[in-house]
Amino acid sequence: MLFWTLTAALVAFVALLFVLALVRRHPATATAADYDVQVYRDQLRDLERDLTRGVMSAEEAERTRIEISRRMLEADRAAQKAARPSEAPRAATVAVLLGLAALMGGSFWLYQRLGAAGYADQPIAGRFELANDLYDSRPSQDDAEKAAEVQRGPMPTPEPQFAELMERLRKAVSERPNDVQGLALLARNEANMGNFRASWQAQRRLIALRGDAATAADYAQLGEYMTVAAGGLVTKEAEEAFATALDKDPRDALSRYYIGLMMAQNARGDRAFRIWDAMLRDGTPEGPWMTPIRANIEQLAWIAGETSYQMPQANGRGPTAEDMQAAAQMSPEERQQMIRGMVEQLNDRLATEGGTAADWAKLISSLRMLGEEDRAQKIWTEAQGLFATAPDDLERIRQAAEGEVAQMPMAAPQAPMMPGPSAEQMQSAAEMTPEERQQMIEGMVDGLVDRLTTEGGAANEWARAISSLATLGKTDRAAEVYAAAQTALAGDEAALAMVKGAAEAAGVAQ
C-alpha cells in the first residue's frame, strides 16, 4: 500500500506542475516600446544639461521638453499594453490536460498488467540465492507424489481383461522376483495404467537385480518414472537417478532433458538453456524431448541473456516434419526411395564425421529394414572397434544389429513419456503359454487404444496403436483408431502425416 501511496503522490505532484505551467499567466518579454521610453528619458536629461550650459534658449528648451514628453507617454502606453500577462489558448490547454490524464491512467493500467508491486530489487546474487532455496526446498518424492495424486484425480478404470492380465503379471513377478523381463514389463505397464509409483518401484528392483550391469537407459527410465509420478517435478530422488545415468553415459538424451527441466523448475533458466541448446547442436538423437525443448528454448535464451538467439536448424540427423508430410503423399516405391536416400546420407556423414551410438544403431537397423543384412553386418563390425571402450553404447548398437527387424516402411518413433507396448513387450512373457501371451498383448494394445480415445495422445502413440492392431489382425479396429486419430490431431499436418504413414503401412488408410 505504501508503494501505491508514494506513486500516486508523485504522479499528482508532477501533474500539478504541468497544470500550473499551462493555466498561469506569463508576463510578456520586453518590447521596442520599453526601449523607446528609456531613450526619451535620456533625452530629457540631456535637454536639462544643454539648458544649464546655455546651449539653447528657455523657450526652445520648453518646446523640445513638451515634444519629448508627449512621445514618452505614447511609448509608455504601448509598453504597458505589451506587458499584459498572456495565457495558453483554452482548446490547447484542455487537449493537453486530457492527454496528461490518459498518459497517467494508462501507465497505472499497464503496471497493473505487467508490473509487480511490492517486489524488492533482485540482483544476480539474490536470484541465485532464491534458486538455491528452491532447489534445496523441493518436496521429497513421497510428498510430491501425494500432491500430484490430488491434482491428477482418479485414473480411468482399465478394461477388465487387461486388469486381470496385470494381476497375473504381478503375481508372476512376485513368484519369480529375479525375472528381469518380467520386471521390465511390469514397470512399463504399471505406468501405462497410471500406477506410477508402482512403475518406478519395479524399475528400481530391476536395476538392483542387474547391479553393475544396469545401463544408463535403466537409470534414466527410473528417473522418468519418478518424475511422472511426481506430477512432472524432478525431485531429488529422480535427480540422483538421472545423475547416475549421466555418469554412465554423459550423452544420455533423456537424462540431459530432465536435468535441464529441473534447472528451469528451480529458477535457473540460464543453465537449462545451456543444456538444451547443446542438445540441439551436438547431434543428440531426435526424440520426444525435442518438442518441448524447441517450444521453450527461445524463452530460456531470453532469460539467459541471449537476446538475438537463433534456434539451430535441423541437421539431417533424421526425417523432419516436412519429410514426414511429404512421405505421406508418396507412393510406396517413392517412399522407399526417400528412406534409402536418408539412410545413405546418414551413412556418408558417419563415414566422414563420425556420430553417436544412436546414429550407428539407426544406420544398422535402417539397413536391415531395407534388406541389406550384409552391409549392416559390416557396419556392425566397424562399430565394435569404435565403441570397444564404451560398453553401454556398444550394447545399444548390438541390439540394433541383432534385434528383430521392424516391418513398417516408416516406423513410428518412440512415444514420449508413457508409450504403449513396445516391440520388446510384444515378445515378452516368455513363461506364459501362447494363449496367455496373446491375451496379454491384446490387453496392452486395448489399454493403449482406450487411453488414446479417452485422453488423447501424441502422434507416435496413435501410429503405434494402429500398427499394433494391424499386427494382431484387427484391421477394422485399426481403421477406427485411424479415423479417431484424424479427428484428435486435426490441424497438425506433421502429426497427421506420421499417423497416415502408419495407416498406409497397416493397409487401413482411406
Side-chain angles (χ1 to χ4, degrees):
M1 189 61 187
L2 179 61
F3 169 81
W4 288 111
T5 302
L6 293 176
T7 303
L10 182 60
V11 170
F13 176 72
V14 173
L16 179 61
L17 293 179
F18 275 107
V19 172
L20 291 176
L22 285 171
V23 301
R24 74 177 182 178
R25 295 176 179 271
H26 303 280
T29 57
T31 64
D34 294 315
Y35 296 107
D36 290 344
V37 171
Q38 185 62 40
V39 170
Y40 295 145
R41 288 174 180 170
D42 293 339
Q43 288 178 351
L44 288 174
R45 285 195 296 270
D46 293 340
L47 179 62
E48 292 297 331
R49 284 196 295 269
D50 291 342
L51 182 61
T52 302
R53 291 198 304 267
V55 175
M56 63 175 58
S57 64
E59 293 80 4
E60 185 180 2
E62 183 64 23
R63 287 194 303 269
T64 304
R65 183 183 298 108
I66 293 172
E67 182 62 23
I68 293 174
S69 298
R70 182 183 63 78
R71 293 180 180 181
M72 187 173 66
L73 289 174
E74 291 178 359
D76 184 62
R77 283 194 298 268
Q80 290 180 6
K81 183 178 180 180
R84 291 176 183 175
S86 62
E87 60 183 8
R90 183 176 299 274
T93 301
V94 173
V96 171
L97 290 177
L98 290 177
L100 181 62
L103 178 63
M104 297 300 183
S107 300
F108 277 104
W109 176 83
L110 187 62
Y111 188 82
Q112 288 281 7
R113 294 290 300 272
L114 303 178
Y119 266 52
D121 291 340
Q122 290 189 330
I124 293 297
R127 296 181 185 184
F128 286 168
E129 184 178 355
L130 173 62
N132 291 334
D133 291 341
L134 289 173
Y135 176 82
D136 294 335
S137 61
R138 284 176 295 171
S140 65
Q141 184 70 30
D142 291 341
D143 292 339
E145 288 185 27
K146 291 176 182 177
E149 186 176 358
V150 172
Q151 295 179 355
R152 189 182 299 122
M155 298 297 295
T157 303
E159 290 289 333
Q161 184 182 20
F162 182 62
E164 180 184 355
L165 291 172
M166 282 299 299
E167 288 298 328
R168 293 169 61 182
L169 177 60
R170 293 174 185 135
K171 182 179 179 181
V173 171
S174 65
E175 293 174 352
R176 297 190 296 273
N178 295 332
D179 183 356
V180 174
Q181 284 189 338
L183 279 171
L185 187 65
L186 179 63
R188 197 172 192 90
N189 283 281
E190 290 287 15
N192 289 336
M193 291 186 66
N195 301 325
F196 302 117
R197 184 175 182 84
S199 69
W200 70 256
Q201 289 178 337
Q203 183 71 14
R204 188 171 61 180
R205 288 162 53 196
L206 173 64
I207 290 175
L209 185 62
R210 287 181 172 173
D212 293 339
T215 65
D218 292 331
Y219 282 97
Q221 190 64 75
L222 172 62
E224 183 178 42
Y225 287 151
M226 285 184 164
T227 301
V228 175
L233 177 68
V234 182
T235 63
K236 296 178 181 179
E237 293 83 349
E239 181 189 357
E240 291 176 0
F242 293 129
T244 304
L246 291 174
D247 285 341
K248 290 179 172 290
D249 180 8
R251 297 179 62 86
D252 183 80
L254 188 62
S255 298
R256 293 169 70 190
Y257 164 70
Y258 276 109
I259 291 297
L261 178 62
M262 179 199 70
M263 293 297 179
Q265 290 175 346
N266 293 281
R268 289 307 304 266
D270 54 327
R271 289 186 175 179
F273 167 73
R274 306 300 177 198
I275 295 172
W276 285 0
D277 179 63
M279 293 180 69
L280 291 174
R281 296 179 185 276
D282 66 1
T284 299
E286 288 289 326
W289 48 81
M290 284 302 183
T291 298
I293 286 178
R294 292 192 177 100
N296 294 281
I297 191 67
E298 292 183 350
Q299 180 180 359
L300 292 175
W302 184 84
I303 294 174
E306 300 286 344
T307 56
S308 57
Y309 176 73
Q310 295 292 329
M311 188 185 305
Q313 300 297 318
N315 53 10
R317 300 181 185 275
T320 64
E322 291 74 15
D323 295 331
M324 299 295 290
Q325 184 175 0
Q329 308 299 326
M330 296 178 179
S331 65
E333 294 76 14
E334 291 173 332
R335 188 180 304 116
Q336 191 79 354
Q337 185 177 1
M338 173 185 171
I339 294 173
R340 186 174 294 278
M342 290 190 293
V343 171
E344 293 302 331
Q345 288 179 1
L346 177 60
N347 178 72
D348 293 342
R349 181 170 61 80
L350 292 182
T352 57
E353 305 175 15
T356 65
D359 292 333
W360 284 85
K362 182 187 295 184
L363 176 59
I364 292 172
S365 60
S366 298
L367 288 171
R368 295 187 64 205
M369 182 182 68
L370 294 172
E372 300 188 17
E373 291 284 351
D374 293 341
R375 190 177 172 192
Q377 187 62 35
K378 291 179 181 179
I379 294 176
W380 161 231
T381 303
E382 181 182 355
Q384 292 180 67
L386 292 174
F387 293 91
T389 58
D392 290 342
D393 290 342
L394 191 61
E395 174 62 21
R396 184 173 188 174
I397 301 173
R398 185 194 66 76
Q399 292 176 1
E402 301 177 1
E404 182 178 349
V405 181
Q407 299 300 318
M408 290 178 57
M410 293 188 69
Q414 291 294 319
M417 283 294 183
M418 300 296 114
S422 63
E424 292 77 9
Q425 291 174 328
M426 299 286 283
Q427 301 170 17
S428 295
E431 300 296 329
M432 298 181 179
T433 65
E435 294 77 12
E436 291 175 332
R437 188 177 303 114
Q438 184 71 10
Q439 287 181 345
M440 172 163 285
I441 292 173
E442 291 180 359
M444 290 188 294
V445 174
D446 289 340
L448 172 61
V449 171
D450 290 342
R451 178 168 63 81
L452 291 175
T453 53
T454 56
E455 304 175 14
N460 43 18
E461 292 182 297
W462 286 101
R464 176 167 292 175
I466 293 169
S467 60
S468 298
L469 288 170
T471 302
L472 294 173
K474 298 182 179 182
T475 54
D476 291 342
R477 194 173 184 199
E480 294 175 359
V481 172
Y482 176 48
Q486 290 176 301
T487 302
L489 302 173
D492 189 340
E493 296 299 330
L496 290 173
M498 180 183 295
V499 175
K500 186 175 181 180
E504 288 180 345
V508 297
Q510 299 298 328

